[in-house]
Amino acid sequence: MAKVKYYYDSETLSYRKIKRKKTTTLKYATVFLTAAALFGFLSFFIISQYIESPKERQMARELQNMELQFELINKRMDDAVAALENVEERDNAIYRLYFEANPIPTEQRRAGFGGINRYKKYEGFDNSKLIAESNQRIDILEKAIVVQSKSLDEIAKLAEDKEKFLEAIPAIQPISNENMTRMASGYGYRTDPFTKVRKFHFGMDFTAPRGTPIYASGDGVIKRADSRSTGYGNHIRIDHGYGYVSLYAHLYKYNVKVNQRVKRGDLIGFVGSTGRSEAPHLHYEVFKDGERINPINFYYGNLSAEEYDILLRKASLENQSLD
């Protein structure tokens, strides 16, 4: 109940009730409502800085999910780029060299897109940079695939007249998977088993029991079958022609003689542990024009795509070699 207020009237010598004017009441009400509205707005503003609304929480979850999806897409693109780079390496280092075609330069394979800004439409959004970069990577990847596809078409035409050449290439694994214990070490930097120092390993080590058959990886002529090369022990070298030579080291014994002509898949020797070797295995190398190159690119002749993928992963591990 509102308080009644009075004032003293000196003329009538009595107390009279104070009557509030309507304009005064309206003024007070206006001030009160304005102050209340201002207080409410400030309270909402302050609270909103620290407490998320349901809509904001939902938007935050959607943004987080979108960022996760972009991460997954970029991971898949990384895998696709890695696979394409492997094909490009084989294309330049093997296929195009096989057929005396000039390698395709990296600048041509990975060329960007000049001129107008193709990604301007992605500007002005949250994560605009992430979206634009992902689309750019996809465009470059698609262009690289087109370049590689045209290159393989060219190689296919060149291959028509190269049957003998293809038979000579060291294109199979020198030990069959059935006889092999494991692929112990690949081409690249590895830990030396004797010095424990990291150094470059120029071949591939295939672990297998002593006496396991070793096969010629391509047609050619036996140029060496001796133990007069430091570290290799009993070893065989096959000249395949066209600048290619394959080497098989640490053998237990030979099954061929110097100057003997062999065909791909012929039995040439048996696994041992002669020379600088830690355990029975075959150390296998491939030379092109006197330079040692990665043998992993030469197993298309007797491995399925799945078997090759497994071998590729194992060969890429930087572990300890056996010689």
Side-chain angles (χ1 to χ4, degrees), residues 33 44 62-63 74 116 118 120 125 132 141 151 163-164 167 173 177 182 193-194 209-210 236 248 264 269 285:
L33 291 174
F44 175 79
E62 290 177 356
L63 179 61
N74 276 302
I116 62 172
R118 298 165 57 92
K120 189 175 180 62
F125 299 98
L141 181 60
S151 175
E163 185 176 354
K164 288 185 178 180
E167 290 174 350
Q173 192 171 276
N177 281 333
R182 65 189 177 96
F194 300 100
R210 184 173 181 266
I236 293 171
Y248 313 76
R264 179 182 294 152
E285 294 183 11

Side-chain angles (χ1 to χ4, degrees), residues 264-280:
R264 179 182 294 152
D266 284 353
L267 176 64
I268 60 173
F270 302 90
V271 170
S273 187
T274 58
R276 192 177 185 275
S277 172
E278 188 178 58

Side-chain angles (χ1 to χ4, degrees), residues 5-10 12-18:
K5 295 184 178 181
Y6 297 88
Y7 73 97
Y8 182 73
D9 189 345
S10 58
T12 60
L13 303 176
S14 63
Y15 288 94
R16 292 182 179 274
K17 186 186 295 186
I18 297 175

Side-chain angles (χ1 to χ4, degrees), residues 19-32:
K19 295 181 180 180
R20 182 178 293 174
K21 295 180 180 180
K22 290 184 179 180
T23 54
T24 302
T25 302
L26 182 60
K27 182 175 71 174
Y28 287 160
T30 301
V31 171
F32 174 78

Side-chain angles (χ1 to χ4, degrees), residues 169-180 206 208 211-220 222 236-238 240 246-249 251 253 255-256 262-271 282-286 298-299 302:
I169 294 300
I172 67 169
Q173 192 171 276
I175 293 182
S176 66
N177 281 333
E178 292 77 12
N179 297 328
M180 185 172 65
F206 297 94
T212 297
I214 299 171
Y215 304 100
S217 56
D219 294 4
I222 305 296
I236 293 171
R237 300 189 194 214
I238 301 177
H240 301 278
S246 59
L247 181 150
Y248 313 76
L251 275 60
K253 63 178 180 179
N255 194 54
V256 290
V262 294
K263 303 287 286 183
R264 179 182 294 152
D266 284 353
L267 176 64
I268 60 173
F270 302 90
V271 170
L282 170 68
H283 176 83
Y284 177 68
E285 294 183 11
V286 174
F298 291 84
Y299 300 133
N302 68 336

Side-chain angles (χ1 to χ4, degrees), residues 10 32 49 71 81 113 136 155 157 224 259 267 309:
S10 58
F32 174 78
Q49 300 304 306
E71 287 180 9
V81 168
F113 301 89
Q136 185 178 27
I155 295 302
K157 292 178 181 178
R224 290 186 64 173
N259 294 326
L267 176 64
D309 185 56

